């Protein structure tokens, strides 16, 4: 007789009138919100703009859901295309069945599209989102509890999970592998946050650390599971996948630290500020350049040779002790009908109206 165990819910769905509310879907949705919330805070702390993480998540999340479902259906095809199976069930995502490997892989494609549209480096965005993804997985694993699936071997430990009789399952108490992985993912999130603050990880290394740490835990939780799976050399397919992805993440981490040390100085271009600043910075300089070019051209046409704008605009002392601006050209602006003279006249008018800064404007004021 078991003195203690974790009970399983009698049902994974609650009906609100004709609308079914499924625990599995709720866990995934809550996980997505937590990931975006935490990712947004980390993105702003790195110098990004509020809302950017959510904008890119609009691309990443749908791609991730499709990728996760595709991986599950492909690796467990016998559940949907075997004898006596209905292939339509492959589209019933609410009944469970999302592979994290496919979700991350195809989700990264969606994130790349979103980042490219915003002119943002994908590694920097992934670094900001990494611990949030781990927390989303921790919450999403409770969806397996609602569906009474993906449990481990039979056990009588006090924290054993009670499973009721049902399709493809036998009543009993089993290792709660969903709980093990959920707690592991919380630890991974805390590890990434600490390491990122301590070592200022950048260029995708925080994300690589998340991937490597998750894979290390996935190996032993996958080893405890008893659900049907393909085996290669005596190990479950997902164990081999975790090992391969772990190696790739470690290699990326090491090479990135060697060739791209430190962290990105700018994670998101400030396009709005640049656009606003450009006219203000260029206004006075452009007018002064036009004035100088027009005066030089006018002097050259009269055979006097080019003159410098600075000399033309330099104040000249007079006999009565007053300082007056020496005109660059004694001829009235526009008298010769040349284009240069007309441009010069317009520029001089702007200077007199106070629309430009510089020596010329100051001389006119005197």
């Amino acid at each position: 007789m078991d003195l203690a165990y974790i009970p399983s819910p009698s049902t994974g769905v609650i009906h609100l009138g004709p609308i079914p509310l499924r625990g599995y879907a709720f866990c995934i949705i809550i996980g997505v919100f937590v990931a975006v919330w935490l990712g947004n805070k980390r993105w702003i702390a790195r110098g990004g703009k509020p809302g950017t993480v959510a904008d890119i998540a609009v691309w990443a999340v749908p791609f991730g859901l499709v990728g996760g479902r595709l991986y599950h259906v492909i690796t467990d095809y016998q559940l949907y295309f075997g004898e006596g199976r209905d292939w339509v069930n492959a589209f019933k995502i609410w009944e469970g069945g999302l592979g994290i490997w496919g979700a991350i892989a195809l989700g990264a494609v969606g994130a790349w599209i979103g980042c490219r549209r915003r002119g943002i480096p994908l590694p920097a965005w992934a670094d900001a989102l990494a611990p949030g993804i781990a927390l989303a997985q921790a919450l999403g694993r409770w969806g397996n509890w609602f569906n009474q699936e993906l449990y481990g071997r039979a056990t009588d430990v006090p924290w054993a999970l009670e499973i009721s009789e049902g399709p493809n399952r036998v009543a009993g108490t089993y290792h709660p592998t969903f709980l093990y992985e959920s707690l592991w993912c919380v630890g991974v999130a805390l590890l990434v946050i600490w390491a990122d603050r301590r070592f200022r990880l950048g260029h995708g290394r925080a994300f690589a650390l998340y991937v490597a740490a998750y894979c290390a835990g996935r190996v032993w939780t996958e080893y405890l599971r008893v659900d049907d799976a393909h085996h290669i050399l005596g190990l479950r397919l997902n164990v081999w996948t975790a090992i391969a992805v772990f190696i790739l993440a470690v290699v990326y981490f090491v090479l990135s630290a060697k060739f791209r040390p430190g962290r990105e100085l700018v994670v998101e271009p400030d396009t709005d500020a640049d656009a606003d600043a450009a006219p203000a910075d260029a206004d006075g300089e452009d007018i002064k350049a036009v004035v100088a070019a027009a005066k030089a051209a006018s002097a050259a046409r009269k055979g006097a040779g080019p003159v410098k704008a600075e000399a033309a605009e330099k104040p000249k002392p007079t006999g009565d002790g007053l300082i007056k601006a020496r005109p660059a050209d004694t001829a009235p602006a526009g008298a010769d009908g040349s284009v240069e003279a007309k441009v010069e006249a317009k520029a001089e008018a702007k200077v007199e109206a106070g629309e430009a800064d510089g020596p010329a404007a100051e001389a006119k004021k005197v």
Side-chain angles (χ1 to χ4, degrees), residues 231-245:
H231 287 72
I232 300 175
L233 300 178
L235 294 178
R236 294 165 64 94
L237 175 61
N238 281 333
V239 173
W240 287 110
T241 304
I243 294 173
V245 175

Side-chain angles (χ1 to χ4, degrees), residues 166-183:
N168 302 319
R169 64 175 186 256
V170 179
T173 55
Y174 301 86
H175 276 287
T177 51
F178 84 91
L179 179 60
Y180 298 160
E181 187 168 331
S182 179
L183 294 175

Side-chain angles (χ1 to χ4, degrees), residues 222-234:
E222 187 75 21
Y223 185 75
L224 290 174
R225 284 168 51 172
V226 294
D227 54 300
D228 293 335
H230 297 287
H231 287 72
I232 300 175
L233 300 178

Side-chain angles (χ1 to χ4, degrees), residues 160-215:
L161 175 66
E162 182 188 36
I163 296 295
S164 61
E165 191 73 27
N168 302 319
R169 64 175 186 256
V170 179
T173 55
Y174 301 86
H175 276 287
T177 51
F178 84 91
L179 179 60
Y180 298 160
E181 187 168 331
S182 179
L183 294 175
W184 182 270
C185 287
V186 172
V188 169
L190 296 176
L191 171 65
V192 174
I193 292 174
W194 171 82
D196 194 28
R197 290 178 177 177
R198 175 66 177 81
F199 303 105
R200 294 185 56 82
L201 302 177
H203 301 287
R205 288 189 291 279
F207 186 80
L209 176 61
Y210 145 71
V211 172
Y214 170 75
C215 290

Side-chain angles (χ1 to χ4, degrees), residues 323-341:
I323 304 297
K324 295 183 180 180
R326 187 183 64 185
D329 196 349
T330 55
D336 59 353
S338 66
V339 176
E340 294 84 351

Side-chain angles (χ1 to χ4, degrees), residues 316-325:
K316 181 179 179 181
T318 60
D320 56 1
L322 298 178
I323 304 297
K324 295 183 180 180

